[in-house]
Amino acid sequence: MSRLDDVKKRAIDEVEARRDELIELSLRIHANPETAFQETKAAGWLTDYLEAAGFAVERAICQIDTAFRATYGGGRPRVAFIAEYDALAGIGHGCGHNIIATASLGAAIATKAIVSEAEGTALVIGTPAEEAAGGKVFMASRGAFADLDVAMLVHPGNRDVAVTYALACLELDVQYFGKTAHAAARPEAGINALDALVIGYSSVNALRQHIRESARVHGIITDGGQAVNVVPGHAAAAFLLRAEDDDYLEELKDKVLACFRAGAEATGARLEHRWGEDARYRAMRSNRALAEAYRRNMEALGRQVQEDDSHRSMGSTDMGNVSVLVPAIHPTVAIAPPDVSIHTPEFRDVAGSEAGHRGLLDAAKAMAMTAADVLLDADLRRRIEEEFRGGE
Ligand SMILES: [Zn+2]
Ligand SMILES: [Zn+2]
């Protein structure tokens, strides 16, 4: 057995030795769902566990109470496992983030066993609010992912995939200001802000036929007027624009805004708009060299990893903002049948089931094995780095 195989076996044994504790922790987070920035119990349990396992823990980093960093070892390479642990309002852990958190924790502890004798550092970075606000977006701008060599996160899903795609995503809020009037007695005195918005909305529908197939524009009306007998003097909507890359997102911005300008032009209402640039999600850049190492390790564990040919496999993730700063992967591990989609009560139930536990343990093992590759294989590190630099 080669040294690398030997080290990987030790990482697997380490996860197996903690199997019951990892499952118990996953179930505890699952049974106590906490939404964006409220994840105090989960963050507390994860950091306490890591501290007891010998990691140096920093709590409430990046001015976020439920964000944390746990570090073991010293020197390079610095291998980070990214943890998410927020739930969905009303559904609970319908995205299975209890599995993400526990798998990253298990992988880090298994990697600790490797780092003990090789040069390098194992980290868990706890990132709140993936679902609602994009905690990693803020953490990235506050330096949380600086000075890392690789970052990994495995998301539960319907298929085993190593290279995943996620779209860049940007919010647009629009408001129209018109003039109220009695809708029957003096309609000619009014300027209808809702009409302006409907024209804008319909224009976006027309635009949609002529944009790239992978791009998405979708939205809701958040204010359509207050009283049926009053010409609406105010109307508002929230939209999301998504694209495969930032360049196309920039193109889309101009096109979509022109649609809403048309509503203002047609009705005389005044348009105000705001781009959510401070919370912009970047497209996911999966590092293929790192993903290939992960795929081999997952297959060694007995899972058949599929080639992801679909650029639509995911919506958007704030892991994209990590992937532009450090070579990163965001694979999926199959825990649910194809007809059970994430963000449903059915998926939530799977995330706390035997299949969920299997996914968690395999993800922890495969990530730790991939960390072994990174720590011991200088040639792989060079390829990961070259690919990352080449993509800039
Ligand atoms: Zn989700
Ligand atoms: Zn998720």
Side-chain angles (χ1 to χ4, degrees), residues 84 86-88 94-97 100 130-132 155 314 316 342-343:
E84 294 173 1
D86 59 322
L88 297 158
C95 208
H97 292 185
I100 297 178
E130 193 277 332
E131 296 290 0
H155 200 296
M314 300 207 90
S316 305
I342 60 169
H343 289 205

Side-chain angles (χ1 to χ4, degrees), residues 121-292:
T121 307
L123 301 102
V124 180
I125 300 178
T127 62
E130 193 277 332
E131 296 290 0
K136 294 181 200 64
V137 180
F138 303 106
M139 292 179 69
S141 66
R142 292 167 190 168
F145 310 105
D147 215 26
L148 300 174
D149 291 290
V150 297
M152 298 181 237
L153 177 161
V154 176
H155 200 296
N158 307 100
R159 302 190 302 152
D160 286 295
V161 176
V163 175
T164 54
Y165 301 89
L167 302 172
C169 182
L170 179 66
E171 182 165 340
L172 169 64
D173 293 318
V174 296
Q175 291 187 78
Y176 290 96
F177 297 88
K179 192 160 173 274
T180 54
H182 193 292
R186 292 289 315 279
E188 70 279 11
I191 296 175
N192 195 318
L194 177 61
D195 280 344
L197 179 51
V198 168
I199 289 166
Y201 191 102
S202 302
S203 302
V204 170
N205 284 347
L207 170 67
R208 205 175 283 119
Q209 191 186 348
H210 302 287
I211 60 177
R212 285 189 196 162
E213 201 187 354
S214 57
R216 297 284 182 273
V217 187
H218 51 95
I220 56 168
I221 292 177
T222 53
D223 180 10
Q226 302 299 322
V228 71
N229 56 356
V230 176
V231 173
H234 180 262
F239 269 72
L240 288 177
L241 284 64
R242 306 190 200 228
E244 256 174 74
D245 58 57
D246 288 304
D247 289 344
Y248 196 61
L249 192 62
E250 287 301 323
E251 275 184 47
L252 266 187
K253 281 175 70 174
D254 293 341
K255 291 177 194 289
V256 171
L257 194 55
C259 292
F260 287 111
R261 287 209 178 99
E265 181 69 24
T267 59
R270 181 170 56 83
L271 172 68
E272 280 189 17
H273 74 280
R274 193 190 67 83
W275 295 106
E277 286 290 356
D278 52 345
R280 180 178 182 139
Y281 281 29
R282 307 291 299 269
M284 180 70 206
R285 279 174 53 190
S286 289
N287 188 281
R288 286 174 180 275
L290 186 60
E292 176 56 22

